[in-house]
Amino acid sequence: MPRVASTVFPFEIRLDRSSAVTLDRQIADAIRSAILSGELLPGDHLPAIRTLAAQVGVARATLDAAYGILVQEGWITATPGRGSFVSRVPPKSANFEKVPTIDHDPATMVPKNLNHEAHFCERSLSALLPQKNIPLAVVTTSDDMSPGRNFRAITARLAKRNTDFLMYTMPEGLLELREQICKVIGRLRGIKCTPDQIIITSGSQAGFAMCMRLLFNPGDKVWFEDPSYPLMRAVAHFNRIQEINVPVDEHGLVVDEGLRMAPDAKGCFITPSHQCPLGMLMSMSRRRQLLQWAKDNGAWIIEDDYDSELRYGGNLPFPSIQGMDTTGANVIYIGTFSKMLFPGYRLGYVIVPKSLINIFRGYRLISDRQGNELKQATVAEYMREGLYEGHVRRMRQGFEERRNLLLKLCREELSEWGEIMSGDQGMHVVFKFANQSIDDLQVQNACLQEGIEARAISFFYTEQPPIKGLMLGFGFFKSDQIVAAVRRIGFVLRSKFARYQV
Ligand SMILES: Cc1ncc(COP(=O)(O)O)c(C=O)c1O
């Protein structure tokens, strides 16, 4: 299995644009050095040309030329349709004894004797950085849309008796919070569980890590939606799971395709109530089909339900798959407070079948011991007083108004480049380019230079993306900021991407 996914894990290459050495040669030299130093290993999959070109900030032709140099010199091989790989047999000229280091500071030397995936973590850092707190980031905090006065009052009140919450305690987390999650999230998302099935985590990311580590072994086949959330895929990759990239259509994951590709897979990670990033709902018949497959094969369905409390146009939120699993045996539900409260609060939970309770509790104990009970008590109280549900209602209303504004502005200002895809829930919409030969990663970078976050949809795909577009968040920004941001995107498109106008 290749170690470097083609879309997600480019490594850092610093260019000296004032140097007499051409950019393609500099890039080729940097990759060659990474191979010689062991940062890249034989068989590693190099990032796709388009991805790395956008990351490094050069034209695709330059990157193409750099890869060409490396192929010619024997450092890498290129297989049409599959991508480029570090050669299993290095060129004769390779001298691994004399590693060319740029500087000899011990702190920057490449360490040896590491876990095979250690360098993968290093590479992930630059490729998976969070969005900046600027329009139109998907999730951030704001004065008017994040919990305010009431939440602060509860925090202050509980902080006065903080010694109640500073002991070693149970790894699954505070009972009061688990009870509230059962009641409140039960009502909002249609989940069915008892408090003992809930393990509090420090967010979905910790839940992904638990599931990948506990439910699967290296080499196991697991279905993933393609496109999907790169930070979740990174955990799969880190755990050496064999990722089966199953396409999605307007009804969500194409289960028939999963069955064709890997009927014997051990599980499936899925965002059924708001596909990440495209935004569609998974239809009831597909959900039933997936549940039946899981039941028949003893496979796990891991449901990432990250922002589905928010549905607009008078439609009720679509219930979770967890609540549809009549056997209660196959679904692991991953929930988070990152979206509805604060991303930096780092609080989430997993809901597991009864058979997994002690396995997950034990894992929390040995991996992280326990969570912060003061924070858990604060959220439990916020829920107990009915404030959480009030906050969700207020968010739904405020977000709907901002979403409508964004849709109107996209129609008025950007229609010559594309349109918003369907989807009536969550915290972002997808603006799909009409001319699919545009490079959305380049648009993303150009927008960022103008102070706008607009994540490219290509970022979420593993291979050549069938959809190019931008992910636009709307919830946490005031009307004038949304207006200014859409106009700015229009300016970027007109000034730099005029040839893709339709
Ligand atoms: C698909 C998806 N799942 C989960 C999360 C939340 O992650 P966490 O709870 O680790 O903050 C996000 C955040 O952007 C997301 O996009």
Side-chain angles (χ1 to χ4, degrees), residues 208-224 236 239-242 265-269 293 298-302 332 360:
F208 300 145
M210 280 181 164
C211 291
M212 307 275 186
R213 185 81 174 85
L214 295 176
L215 305 178
F216 309 114
N217 287 301
D220 278 356
K221 290 181 201 159
V222 177
W223 296 358
F224 291 89
N239 282 284
R240 296 172 168 244
I241 282 169
Q242 195 177 334
K266 298 280 192 303
C268 172
F269 276 77
W293 165 75
W300 303 110
I301 298 173
I302 298 103
I332 292 96
F360 275 66

PDB file of all heavy atoms in Angstrom, residues 208-224 236 239-242 265-269 293 298-302 332 360:
ATOM      1  N   PHE A 208     -12.402   9.069  15.459  1.00  0.00           N
ATOM      2  CA  PHE A 208     -11.895   8.357  14.268  1.00  0.00           C
ATOM      3  C   PHE A 208     -10.726   7.459  14.667  1.00  0.00           C
ATOM      4  O   PHE A 208     -10.628   6.308  14.253  1.00  0.00           O
ATOM      5  CB  PHE A 208     -11.387   9.340  13.199  1.00  0.00           C
ATOM      6  CG  PHE A 208     -12.416  10.312  12.683  1.00  0.00           C
ATOM      7  CD1 PHE A 208     -12.048  11.619  12.347  1.00  0.00           C
ATOM      8  CD2 PHE A 208     -13.737   9.937  12.513  1.00  0.00           C
ATOM      9  CE1 PHE A 208     -12.985  12.521  11.868  1.00  0.00           C
ATOM     10  CE2 PHE A 208     -14.682  10.828  12.031  1.00  0.00           C
ATOM     11  CZ  PHE A 208     -14.305  12.128  11.708  1.00  0.00           C
ATOM     12  N   ALA A 209      -9.813   8.034  15.470  1.00  0.00           N
ATOM     13  CA  ALA A 209      -8.610   7.281  15.850  1.00  0.00           C
ATOM     14  C   ALA A 209      -8.991   6.028  16.635  1.00  0.00           C
ATOM     15  O   ALA A 209      -8.447   4.943  16.393  1.00  0.00           O
ATOM     16  CB  ALA A 209      -7.673   8.171  16.673  1.00  0.00           C
ATOM     17  N   MET A 210      -9.952   6.171  17.541  1.00  0.00           N
ATOM     18  CA  MET A 210     -10.409   5.000  18.320  1.00  0.00           C
ATOM     19  C   MET A 210     -10.938   3.925  17.387  1.00  0.00           C
ATOM     20  O   MET A 210     -10.593   2.752  17.517  1.00  0.00           O
ATOM     21  CB  MET A 210     -11.586   5.405  19.224  1.00  0.00           C
ATOM     22  CG  MET A 210     -11.210   6.099  20.479  1.00  0.00           C
ATOM     23  SD  MET A 210     -12.755   6.448  21.368  1.00  0.00           S
ATOM     24  CE  MET A 210     -12.084   6.806  22.968  1.00  0.00           C
ATOM     25  N   CYS A 211     -11.804   4.322  16.468  1.00  0.00           N
ATOM     26  CA  CYS A 211     -12.442   3.338  15.581  1.00  0.00           C
ATOM     27  C   CYS A 211     -11.421   2.650  14.698  1.00  0.00           C
ATOM     28  O   CYS A 211     -11.437   1.427  14.539  1.00  0.00           O
ATOM     29  CB  CYS A 211     -13.502   4.016  14.717  1.00  0.00           C
ATOM     30  SG  CYS A 211     -14.902   4.560  15.682  1.00  0.00           S
ATOM     31  N   MET A 212     -10.521   3.428  14.105  1.00  0.00           N
ATOM     32  CA  MET A 212      -9.540   2.821  13.181  1.00  0.00           C
ATOM     33  C   MET A 212      -8.668   1.829  13.929  1.00  0.00           C
ATOM     34  O   MET A 212      -8.298   0.792  13.404  1.00  0.00           O
ATOM     35  CB  MET A 212      -8.633   3.882  12.564  1.00  0.00           C
ATOM     36  CG  MET A 212      -9.339   5.021  11.911  1.00  0.00           C
ATOM     37  SD  MET A 212      -9.831   4.719  10.231  1.00  0.00           S
ATOM     38  CE  MET A 212     -10.435   6.348   9.799  1.00  0.00           C
ATOM     39  N   ARG A 213      -8.316   2.184  15.162  1.00  0.00           N
ATOM     40  CA  ARG A 213      -7.385   1.341  15.918  1.00  0.00           C
ATOM     41  C   ARG A 213      -8.078   0.100  16.468  1.00  0.00           C
ATOM     42  O   ARG A 213      -7.491  -0.980  16.505  1.00  0.00           O
ATOM     43  CB  ARG A 213      -6.811   2.180  17.074  1.00  0.00           C
ATOM     44  CG  ARG A 213      -5.747   1.520  17.891  1.00  0.00           C
ATOM     45  CD  ARG A 213      -4.405   1.632  17.184  1.00  0.00           C
ATOM     46  NE  ARG A 213      -3.329   1.122  18.041  1.00  0.00           N
ATOM     47  CZ  ARG A 213      -2.989  -0.161  18.111  1.00  0.00           C
ATOM     48  NH1 ARG A 213      -3.610  -1.050  17.383  1.00  0.00           N
ATOM     49  NH2 ARG A 213      -2.013  -0.534  18.910  1.00  0.00           N
ATOM     50  N   LEU A 214      -9.335   0.267  16.906  1.00  0.00           N
ATOM     51  CA  LEU A 214      -9.998  -0.826  17.634  1.00  0.00           C
ATOM     52  C   LEU A 214     -10.813  -1.751  16.740  1.00  0.00           C
ATOM     53  O   LEU A 214     -10.999  -2.920  17.068  1.00  0.00           O
ATOM     54  CB  LEU A 214     -10.926  -0.246  18.715  1.00  0.00           C
ATOM     55  CG  LEU A 214     -10.219   0.511  19.840  1.00  0.00           C
ATOM     56  CD1 LEU A 214     -11.242   1.127  20.782  1.00  0.00           C
ATOM     57  CD2 LEU A 214      -9.299  -0.429  20.611  1.00  0.00           C
ATOM     58  N   LEU A 215     -11.306  -1.245  15.628  1.00  0.00           N
ATOM     59  CA  LEU A 215     -12.218  -2.066  14.829  1.00  0.00           C
ATOM     60  C   LEU A 215     -11.505  -2.787  13.693  1.00  0.00           C
ATOM     61  O   LEU A 215     -12.038  -3.753  13.151  1.00  0.00           O
ATOM     62  CB  LEU A 215     -13.338  -1.198  14.242  1.00  0.00           C
ATOM     63  CG  LEU A 215     -14.153  -0.371  15.251  1.00  0.00           C
ATOM     64  CD1 LEU A 215     -15.182   0.467  14.536  1.00  0.00           C
ATOM     65  CD2 LEU A 215     -14.837  -1.288  16.260  1.00  0.00           C
ATOM     66  N   PHE A 216     -10.307  -2.303  13.320  1.00  0.00           N
ATOM     67  CA  PHE A 216      -9.653  -2.842  12.129  1.00  0.00           C
ATOM     68  C   PHE A 216      -8.191  -3.189  12.396  1.00  0.00           C
ATOM     69  O   PHE A 216      -7.574  -2.656  13.322  1.00  0.00           O
ATOM     70  CB  PHE A 216      -9.721  -1.818  10.983  1.00  0.00           C
ATOM     71  CG  PHE A 216     -11.125  -1.313  10.752  1.00  0.00           C
ATOM     72  CD1 PHE A 216     -11.456   0.007  10.989  1.00  0.00           C
ATOM     73  CD2 PHE A 216     -12.115  -2.181  10.328  1.00  0.00           C
ATOM     74  CE1 PHE A 216     -12.764   0.465  10.812  1.00  0.00           C
ATOM     75  CE2 PHE A 216     -13.422  -1.741  10.143  1.00  0.00           C
ATOM     76  CZ  PHE A 216     -13.742  -0.415  10.385  1.00  0.00           C
ATOM     77  N   ASN A 217      -7.674  -4.056  11.531  1.00  0.00           N
ATOM     78  CA  ASN A 217      -6.245  -4.385  11.559  1.00  0.00           C
ATOM     79  C   ASN A 217      -5.578  -3.818  10.313  1.00  0.00           C
ATOM     80  O   ASN A 217      -6.248  -3.613   9.294  1.00  0.00           O
ATOM     81  CB  ASN A 217      -6.068  -5.904  11.596  1.00  0.00           C
ATOM     82  CG  ASN A 217      -6.439  -6.455  12.956  1.00  0.00           C
ATOM     83  OD1 ASN A 217      -5.856  -6.072  13.970  1.00  0.00           O
ATOM     84  ND2 ASN A 217      -7.435  -7.324  12.998  1.00  0.00           N
ATOM     85  N   PRO A 218      -4.253  -3.575  10.375  1.00  0.00           N
ATOM     86  CA  PRO A 218      -3.573  -3.075   9.171  1.00  0.00           C
ATOM     87  C   PRO A 218      -3.867  -4.003   7.992  1.00  0.00           C
ATOM     88  O   PRO A 218      -3.851  -5.221   8.147  1.00  0.00           O
ATOM     89  CB  PRO A 218      -2.092  -3.121   9.563  1.00  0.00           C
ATOM     90  CG  PRO A 218      -2.099  -3.011  11.051  1.00  0.00           C
ATOM     91  CD  PRO A 218      -3.349  -3.715  11.518  1.00  0.00           C
ATOM     92  N   GLY A 219      -4.183  -3.398   6.849  1.00  0.00           N
ATOM     93  CA  GLY A 219      -4.462  -4.191   5.650  1.00  0.00           C
ATOM     94  C   GLY A 219      -5.941  -4.497   5.467  1.00  0.00           C
ATOM     95  O   GLY A 219      -6.353  -4.893   4.373  1.00  0.00           O
ATOM     96  N   ASP A 220      -6.750  -4.304   6.491  1.00  0.00           N
ATOM     97  CA  ASP A 220      -8.193  -4.542   6.332  1.00  0.00           C
ATOM     98  C   ASP A 220      -8.775  -3.570   5.311  1.00  0.00           C
ATOM     99  O   ASP A 220      -8.415  -2.384   5.290  1.00  0.00           O
ATOM    100  CB  ASP A 220      -8.934  -4.321   7.670  1.00  0.00           C
ATOM    101  CG  ASP A 220      -8.848  -5.528   8.580  1.00  0.00           C
ATOM    102  OD1 ASP A 220      -8.286  -6.565   8.156  1.00  0.00           O
ATOM    103  OD2 ASP A 220      -9.331  -5.431   9.728  1.00  0.00           O
ATOM    104  N   LYS A 221      -9.730  -4.101   4.543  1.00  0.00           N
ATOM    105  CA  LYS A 221     -10.405  -3.216   3.583  1.00  0.00           C
ATOM    106  C   LYS A 221     -11.547  -2.485   4.293  1.00  0.00           C
ATOM    107  O   LYS A 221     -12.328  -3.103   5.018  1.00  0.00           O
ATOM    108  CB  LYS A 221     -11.013  -4.039   2.456  1.00  0.00           C
ATOM    109  CG  LYS A 221      -9.992  -4.644   1.533  1.00  0.00           C
ATOM    110  CD  LYS A 221     -10.711  -5.416   0.454  1.00  0.00           C
ATOM    111  CE  LYS A 221      -9.753  -6.413  -0.145  1.00  0.00           C
ATOM    112  NZ  LYS A 221     -10.421  -7.503  -0.807  1.00  0.00           N
ATOM    113  N   VAL A 222     -11.631  -1.203   4.065  1.00  0.00           N
ATOM    114  CA  VAL A 222     -12.722  -0.403   4.639  1.00  0.00           C
ATOM    115  C   VAL A 222     -13.219   0.560   3.557  1.00  0.00           C
ATOM    116  O   VAL A 222     -12.411   1.144   2.831  1.00  0.00           O
ATOM    117  CB  VAL A 222     -12.227   0.383   5.887  1.00  0.00           C
ATOM    118  CG1 VAL A 222     -13.331   1.268   6.444  1.00  0.00           C
ATOM    119  CG2 VAL A 222     -11.739  -0.572   6.976  1.00  0.00           C
ATOM    120  N   TRP A 223     -14.523   0.702   3.439  1.00  0.00           N
ATOM    121  CA  TRP A 223     -15.086   1.636   2.453  1.00  0.00           C
ATOM    122  C   TRP A 223     -14.999   3.067   2.997  1.00  0.00           C
ATOM    123  O   TRP A 223     -15.300   3.320   4.169  1.00  0.00           O
ATOM    124  CB  TRP A 223     -16.565   1.378   2.218  1.00  0.00           C
ATOM    125  CG  TRP A 223     -16.920   0.054   1.624  1.00  0.00           C
ATOM    126  CD1 TRP A 223     -16.083  -0.953   1.235  1.00  0.00           C
ATOM    127  CD2 TRP A 223     -18.256  -0.407   1.379  1.00  0.00           C
ATOM    128  NE1 TRP A 223     -16.815  -2.007   0.756  1.00  0.00           N
ATOM    129  CE2 TRP A 223     -18.151  -1.706   0.835  1.00  0.00           C
ATOM    130  CE3 TRP A 223     -19.525   0.137   1.562  1.00  0.00           C
ATOM    131  CZ2 TRP A 223     -19.269  -2.460   0.476  1.00  0.00           C
ATOM    132  CZ3 TRP A 223     -20.640  -0.607   1.204  1.00  0.00           C
ATOM    133  CH2 TRP A 223     -20.505  -1.888   0.657  1.00  0.00           C
ATOM    134  N   PHE A 224     -14.649   3.963   2.096  1.00  0.00           N
ATOM    135  CA  PHE A 224     -14.704   5.403   2.407  1.00  0.00           C
ATOM    136  C   PHE A 224     -15.432   6.094   1.264  1.00  0.00           C
ATOM    137  O   PHE A 224     -15.263   5.706   0.106  1.00  0.00           O
ATOM    138  CB  PHE A 224     -13.289   5.998   2.509  1.00  0.00           C
ATOM    139  CG  PHE A 224     -12.546   5.492   3.716  1.00  0.00           C
ATOM    140  CD1 PHE A 224     -11.796   4.331   3.636  1.00  0.00           C
ATOM    141  CD2 PHE A 224     -12.610   6.156   4.919  1.00  0.00           C
ATOM    142  CE1 PHE A 224     -11.126   3.842   4.748  1.00  0.00           C
ATOM    143  CE2 PHE A 224     -11.945   5.672   6.035  1.00  0.00           C
ATOM    144  CZ  PHE A 224     -11.204   4.515   5.955  1.00  0.00           C
ATOM    145  N   ALA A 236      -6.911   6.812   8.773  1.00  0.00           N
ATOM    146  CA  ALA A 236      -6.979   5.498   8.120  1.00  0.00           C
ATOM    147  C   ALA A 236      -5.620   5.152   7.532  1.00  0.00           C
ATOM    148  O   ALA A 236      -5.100   4.042   7.688  1.00  0.00           O
ATOM    149  CB  ALA A 236      -8.036   5.520   7.021  1.00  0.00           C
ATOM    150  N   ASN A 239      -3.086   4.217  10.044  1.00  0.00           N
ATOM    151  CA  ASN A 239      -3.297   2.872  10.592  1.00  0.00           C
ATOM    152  C   ASN A 239      -3.166   1.780   9.541  1.00  0.00           C
ATOM    153  O   ASN A 239      -3.514   0.631   9.795  1.00  0.00           O
ATOM    154  CB  ASN A 239      -4.670   2.799  11.266  1.00  0.00           C
ATOM    155  CG  ASN A 239      -4.644   3.442  12.638  1.00  0.00           C
ATOM    156  OD1 ASN A 239      -4.146   2.872  13.597  1.00  0.00           O
ATOM    157  ND2 ASN A 239      -5.139   4.668  12.734  1.00  0.00           N
ATOM    158  N   ARG A 240      -2.715   2.155   8.352  1.00  0.00           N
ATOM    159  CA  ARG A 240      -2.464   1.209   7.256  1.00  0.00           C
ATOM    160  C   ARG A 240      -3.703   0.424   6.860  1.00  0.00           C
ATOM    161  O   ARG A 240      -3.648  -0.771   6.540  1.00  0.00           O
ATOM    162  CB  ARG A 240      -1.331   0.250   7.616  1.00  0.00           C
ATOM    163  CG  ARG A 240      -0.015   0.969   7.802  1.00  0.00           C
ATOM    164  CD  ARG A 240       1.045   0.055   8.332  1.00  0.00           C
ATOM    165  NE  ARG A 240       2.333   0.715   8.213  1.00  0.00           N
ATOM    166  CZ  ARG A 240       3.332   0.290   7.452  1.00  0.00           C
ATOM    167  NH1 ARG A 240       3.196  -0.778   6.725  1.00  0.00           N
ATOM    168  NH2 ARG A 240       4.466   0.946   7.414  1.00  0.00           N
ATOM    169  N   ILE A 241      -4.815   1.100   6.922  1.00  0.00           N
ATOM    170  CA  ILE A 241      -6.061   0.473   6.467  1.00  0.00           C
ATOM    171  C   ILE A 241      -6.106   0.533   4.943  1.00  0.00           C
ATOM    172  O   ILE A 241      -5.654   1.507   4.344  1.00  0.00           O
ATOM    173  CB  ILE A 241      -7.251   1.213   7.129  1.00  0.00           C
ATOM    174  CG1 ILE A 241      -7.352   0.715   8.574  1.00  0.00           C
ATOM    175  CG2 ILE A 241      -8.539   1.007   6.371  1.00  0.00           C
ATOM    176  CD1 ILE A 241      -8.259   1.499   9.435  1.00  0.00           C
ATOM    177  N   GLN A 242      -6.629  -0.519   4.336  1.00  0.00           N
ATOM    178  CA  GLN A 242      -6.731  -0.511   2.872  1.00  0.00           C
ATOM    179  C   GLN A 242      -7.991   0.256   2.494  1.00  0.00           C
ATOM    180  O   GLN A 242      -9.107  -0.226   2.707  1.00  0.00           O
ATOM    181  CB  GLN A 242      -6.798  -1.943   2.371  1.00  0.00           C
ATOM    182  CG  GLN A 242      -6.530  -2.037   0.895  1.00  0.00           C
ATOM    183  CD  GLN A 242      -6.536  -3.477   0.436  1.00  0.00           C
ATOM    184  OE1 GLN A 242      -6.270  -4.400   1.205  1.00  0.00           O
ATOM    185  NE2 GLN A 242      -6.855  -3.682  -0.826  1.00  0.00           N
ATOM    186  N   ALA A 265     -15.354  -6.038   2.745  1.00  0.00           N
ATOM    187  CA  ALA A 265     -14.758  -4.985   3.586  1.00  0.00           C
ATOM    188  C   ALA A 265     -15.244  -5.149   5.022  1.00  0.00           C
ATOM    189  O   ALA A 265     -16.314  -5.690   5.286  1.00  0.00           O
ATOM    190  CB  ALA A 265     -15.146  -3.612   3.046  1.00  0.00           C
ATOM    191  N   LYS A 266     -14.420  -4.633   5.938  1.00  0.00           N
ATOM    192  CA  LYS A 266     -14.731  -4.813   7.360  1.00  0.00           C
ATOM    193  C   LYS A 266     -15.565  -3.659   7.913  1.00  0.00           C
ATOM    194  O   LYS A 266     -16.027  -3.714   9.047  1.00  0.00           O
ATOM    195  CB  LYS A 266     -13.422  -4.895   8.175  1.00  0.00           C
ATOM    196  CG  LYS A 266     -12.530  -6.068   7.807  1.00  0.00           C
ATOM    197  CD  LYS A 266     -13.055  -7.315   8.481  1.00  0.00           C
ATOM    198  CE  LYS A 266     -12.125  -8.518   8.439  1.00  0.00           C
ATOM    199  NZ  LYS A 266     -11.714  -8.952   7.124  1.00  0.00           N
ATOM    200  N   GLY A 267     -15.707  -2.610   7.135  1.00  0.00           N
ATOM    201  CA  GLY A 267     -16.480  -1.487   7.650  1.00  0.00           C
ATOM    202  C   GLY A 267     -16.624  -0.379   6.630  1.00  0.00           C
ATOM    203  O   GLY A 267     -16.136  -0.485   5.491  1.00  0.00           O
ATOM    204  N   CYS A 268     -17.298   0.678   7.051  1.00  0.00           N
ATOM    205  CA  CYS A 268     -17.566   1.803   6.158  1.00  0.00           C
ATOM    206  C   CYS A 268     -17.647   3.095   6.978  1.00  0.00           C
ATOM    207  O   CYS A 268     -18.383   3.149   7.972  1.00  0.00           O
ATOM    208  CB  CYS A 268     -18.900   1.547   5.465  1.00  0.00           C
ATOM    209  SG  CYS A 268     -19.500   2.925   4.514  1.00  0.00           S
ATOM    210  N   PHE A 269     -16.866   4.079   6.597  1.00  0.00           N
ATOM    211  CA  PHE A 269     -16.965   5.407   7.225  1.00  0.00           C
ATOM    212  C   PHE A 269     -17.881   6.257   6.358  1.00  0.00           C
ATOM    213  O   PHE A 269     -17.705   6.300   5.142  1.00  0.00           O
ATOM    214  CB  PHE A 269     -15.582   6.065   7.313  1.00  0.00           C
ATOM    215  CG  PHE A 269     -14.805   5.628   8.508  1.00  0.00           C
ATOM    216  CD1 PHE A 269     -14.187   4.389   8.522  1.00  0.00           C
ATOM    217  CD2 PHE A 269     -14.702   6.426   9.629  1.00  0.00           C
ATOM    218  CE1 PHE A 269     -13.470   3.961   9.633  1.00  0.00           C
ATOM    219  CE2 PHE A 269     -13.994   6.019  10.739  1.00  0.00           C
ATOM    220  CZ  PHE A 269     -13.375   4.779  10.743  1.00  0.00           C
ATOM    221  N   TRP A 293     -26.089  -4.860   4.552  1.00  0.00           N
ATOM    222  CA  TRP A 293     -24.736  -5.386   4.262  1.00  0.00           C
ATOM    223  C   TRP A 293     -23.943  -5.541   5.553  1.00  0.00           C
ATOM    224  O   TRP A 293     -23.306  -6.576   5.786  1.00  0.00           O
ATOM    225  CB  TRP A 293     -24.022  -4.438   3.287  1.00  0.00           C
ATOM    226  CG  TRP A 293     -22.547  -4.680   3.197  1.00  0.00           C
ATOM    227  CD1 TRP A 293     -21.931  -5.718   2.536  1.00  0.00           C
ATOM    228  CD2 TRP A 293     -21.502  -3.912   3.804  1.00  0.00           C
ATOM    229  NE1 TRP A 293     -20.575  -5.631   2.690  1.00  0.00           N
ATOM    230  CE2 TRP A 293     -20.271  -4.535   3.464  1.00  0.00           C
ATOM    231  CE3 TRP A 293     -21.467  -2.757   4.582  1.00  0.00           C
ATOM    232  CZ2 TRP A 293     -19.038  -4.040   3.888  1.00  0.00           C
ATOM    233  CZ3 TRP A 293     -20.252  -2.265   5.008  1.00  0.00           C
ATOM    234  CH2 TRP A 293     -19.056  -2.897   4.661  1.00  0.00           C
ATOM    235  N   GLY A 298     -21.281  -8.695   9.361  1.00  0.00           N
ATOM    236  CA  GLY A 298     -20.644  -8.321  10.631  1.00  0.00           C
ATOM    237  C   GLY A 298     -19.708  -7.131  10.453  1.00  0.00           C
ATOM    238  O   GLY A 298     -18.696  -6.998  11.151  1.00  0.00           O
ATOM    239  N   ALA A 299     -20.047  -6.253   9.492  1.00  0.00           N
ATOM    240  CA  ALA A 299     -19.186  -5.077   9.234  1.00  0.00           C
ATOM    241  C   ALA A 299     -19.637  -3.907  10.119  1.00  0.00           C
ATOM    242  O   ALA A 299     -20.765  -3.869  10.597  1.00  0.00           O
ATOM    243  CB  ALA A 299     -19.286  -4.688   7.764  1.00  0.00           C
ATOM    244  N   TRP A 300     -18.707  -2.980  10.312  1.00  0.00           N
ATOM    245  CA  TRP A 300     -19.015  -1.793  11.123  1.00  0.00           C
ATOM    246  C   TRP A 300     -19.379  -0.613  10.225  1.00  0.00           C
ATOM    247  O   TRP A 300     -18.712  -0.380   9.217  1.00  0.00           O
ATOM    248  CB  TRP A 300     -17.804  -1.387  11.976  1.00  0.00           C
ATOM    249  CG  TRP A 300     -17.299  -2.460  12.880  1.00  0.00           C
ATOM    250  CD1 TRP A 300     -16.132  -3.150  12.761  1.00  0.00           C
ATOM    251  CD2 TRP A 300     -17.949  -2.978  14.053  1.00  0.00           C
ATOM    252  NE1 TRP A 300     -16.002  -4.063  13.782  1.00  0.00           N
ATOM    253  CE2 TRP A 300     -17.107  -3.974  14.597  1.00  0.00           C
ATOM    254  CE3 TRP A 300     -19.153  -2.698  14.701  1.00  0.00           C
ATOM    255  CZ2 TRP A 300     -17.431  -4.692  15.740  1.00  0.00           C
ATOM    256  CZ3 TRP A 300     -19.477  -3.405  15.841  1.00  0.00           C
ATOM    257  CH2 TRP A 300     -18.627  -4.387  16.352  1.00  0.00           C
ATOM    258  N   ILE A 301     -20.402   0.121  10.630  1.00  0.00           N
ATOM    259  CA  ILE A 301     -20.701   1.401   9.957  1.00  0.00           C
ATOM    260  C   ILE A 301     -20.291   2.492  10.934  1.00  0.00           C
ATOM    261  O   ILE A 301     -20.787   2.520  12.071  1.00  0.00           O
ATOM    262  CB  ILE A 301     -22.199   1.539   9.641  1.00  0.00           C
ATOM    263  CG1 ILE A 301     -22.637   0.436   8.668  1.00  0.00           C
ATOM    264  CG2 ILE A 301     -22.510   2.923   9.071  1.00  0.00           C
ATOM    265  CD1 ILE A 301     -24.142   0.415   8.436  1.00  0.00           C
ATOM    266  N   ILE A 302     -19.391   3.350  10.517  1.00  0.00           N
ATOM    267  CA  ILE A 302     -18.985   4.442  11.403  1.00  0.00           C
ATOM    268  C   ILE A 302     -19.607   5.720  10.852  1.00  0.00           C
ATOM    269  O   ILE A 302     -19.246   6.190   9.771  1.00  0.00           O
ATOM    270  CB  ILE A 302     -17.448   4.553  11.510  1.00  0.00           C
ATOM    271  CG1 ILE A 302     -16.895   3.256  12.120  1.00  0.00           C
ATOM    272  CG2 ILE A 302     -17.063   5.710  12.426  1.00  0.00           C
ATOM    273  CD1 ILE A 302     -16.279   2.347  11.149  1.00  0.00           C
ATOM    274  N   ILE A 332     -21.421   2.644  14.810  1.00  0.00           N
ATOM    275  CA  ILE A 332     -20.716   3.480  15.792  1.00  0.00           C
ATOM    276  C   ILE A 332     -20.975   4.918  15.344  1.00  0.00           C
ATOM    277  O   ILE A 332     -20.688   5.286  14.201  1.00  0.00           O
ATOM    278  CB  ILE A 332     -19.196   3.195  15.808  1.00  0.00           C
ATOM    279  CG1 ILE A 332     -18.941   1.786  16.364  1.00  0.00           C
ATOM    280  CG2 ILE A 332     -18.461   4.199  16.688  1.00  0.00           C
ATOM    281  CD1 ILE A 332     -18.775   0.754  15.333  1.00  0.00           C
ATOM    282  N   PHE A 360     -13.868   0.301  24.165  1.00  0.00           N
ATOM    283  CA  PHE A 360     -13.644   1.731  23.949  1.00  0.00           C
ATOM    284  C   PHE A 360     -13.253   2.445  25.247  1.00  0.00           C
ATOM    285  O   PHE A 360     -12.394   3.321  25.260  1.00  0.00           O
ATOM    286  CB  PHE A 360     -14.886   2.385  23.306  1.00  0.00           C
ATOM    287  CG  PHE A 360     -14.902   2.255  21.805  1.00  0.00           C
ATOM    288  CD1 PHE A 360     -15.028   1.012  21.200  1.00  0.00           C
ATOM    289  CD2 PHE A 360     -14.773   3.363  20.983  1.00  0.00           C
ATOM    290  CE1 PHE A 360     -15.028   0.877  19.810  1.00  0.00           C
ATOM    291  CE2 PHE A 360     -14.775   3.261  19.594  1.00  0.00           C
ATOM    292  CZ  PHE A 360     -14.903   2.004  19.011  1.00  0.00           C
TER     293      PHE A 360
END
